[in-house]
Amino acid sequence: MGPSAITERNAEASPRLKARITGVVYLLYFLTAVLGEFFMKGLVVSGGAAATANNILAHQPLFRLGLATGLIATACYVAVTALFYDLFKHVNRSLSLLAAFFSLVGCAILAFASLFRIAPLVVLGGGQYLSAFKVEHLRALAFLFLELYGQAVNICFVFFGVYCLLIGYLIFKSAFLPRILGVLMAFAGLGWLTFLSPPLANYLSPYIQVLGVFAEGSLMLWLLVMGVNVAKWEEKASVWRVSGA
């Protein structure tokens, strides 16, 4: 057995530990995502450009903290995506890779959209080159950037919807995680896909968010507390190694 084969076998020696590490990173994502939204809560007033601008200027440190925490949450989800690929590649490598692709595209869109979220700080920052614009115009422009951020988030939800569907299928077929978790993830994915039609998504938004948090939260807690069925995981890994997939 060559060094590379020994390294690969050692890397796969503790599937339960790998699952729990995934659960820990997943938990970090949840914590940072919730904190990011908490810091931003109440700063953006729906339909109120002036009120939103005043809130941002009055609470700049909080707004920046929300931005930073949101970026950390996105980075955590990139890590979760990589860990899930490694966990499920033995079930179906092609689908696991495809799922990772959709998730990474969603994360990339979300990271890029952060530019729209930070733009109001630049617009409202009072730079000398902005003196040519009226205050009302600057406030409207800042609010427009936040609206664009919201639209970008809607787009990334579609990619995360496909990701959740694929992860749900992989869980269902894996045998080393409870199938109910796969069903929940698949339903959560269908919920996120409603953002293909924003009016429908806005109407169903409270239910979609509850379902999404419940599905991903359940998966996170299971990985964190229970890990995976080691015997079933090893069985899948053994078949994967023999087939050379």
Side-chain angles (χ1 to χ4, degrees):
M1 182 180 293
S4 61
I6 294 174
T7 301
E8 181 178 351
R9 187 172 293 276
N10 288 339
E12 297 179 354
S14 184
R16 185 165 290 163
L17 177 61
K18 290 168 69 173
R20 284 179 172 157
I21 289 172
T22 304
V24 169
V25 179
Y26 219 164
L27 177 60
L28 288 174
Y29 159 72
F30 269 97
L31 292 176
T32 50
V34 170
L35 279 175
E37 291 305 312
F38 175 78
F39 293 142
M40 292 287 190
K41 188 176 182 181
L43 296 183
V44 179
V45 180
S46 179
T52 298
N54 290 334
N55 287 341
I56 291 173
L57 291 174
H59 303 92
Q60 282 196 53
L62 202 60
F63 190 79
R64 291 181 184 276
L65 190 57
L67 284 169
T69 312
L71 286 172
I72 293 171
T74 302
C76 287
Y77 209 83
V78 170
V80 168
T81 300
L83 290 166
F84 271 151
Y85 166 74
D86 188 52
L87 194 65
F88 293 114
K89 67 183 180 183
H90 300 147
V91 180
N92 187 314
R93 183 167 188 153
S94 297
L95 281 182
S96 187
L97 187 61
L98 184 63
F101 170 77
F102 275 100
S103 180
L104 291 176
V105 171
C107 289
I109 293 172
L110 196 55
F112 178 79
S114 297
L115 292 173
F116 293 128
R117 215 175 194 186
I118 201 172
L121 288 174
V122 178
V123 172
L124 299 171
Q128 188 174 359
Y129 60 93
L130 294 171
S131 60
F133 300 94
K134 293 183 179 180
V135 174
E136 293 78 8
H137 294 162
L138 293 175
R139 288 174 174 175
L141 185 59
F143 196 77
L144 173 62
F145 281 126
L146 293 173
E147 287 288 315
L148 289 174
Y149 171 78
Q151 294 301 315
V153 170
N154 289 346
I155 294 171
C156 82
F157 279 154
V158 175
F159 286 90
F160 288 136
V162 177
Y163 175 64
C164 288
L165 273 174
L166 292 173
I167 290 296
Y169 175 81
L170 289 168
I171 293 173
F172 194 83
K173 298 291 288 185
S174 70
F176 53 75
L177 285 171
R179 286 186 165 182
I180 186 61
L181 294 176
V183 173
L184 287 173
M185 286 294 287
F187 275 113
L190 289 175
W192 295 126
L193 285 177
T194 60
F195 280 87
L196 286 166
S197 173
L200 176 62
N202 289 335
Y203 179 73
L204 297 175
S205 181
Y207 310 104
I208 295 169
Q209 291 183 29
V210 169
L211 179 58
V213 170
F214 180 71
E216 294 202 63
S218 299
L219 177 56
M220 177 269 293
L221 287 173
W222 187 274
L223 291 170
L224 194 61
V225 177
M226 303 300 294
V228 296
N229 184 316
V230 176
K232 293 291 186 181
W233 191 93
E234 289 289 358
E235 182 182 328
K236 291 284 185 182
S238 178
V239 171
W240 182 80
R241 283 193 292 263
V242 170
S243 65

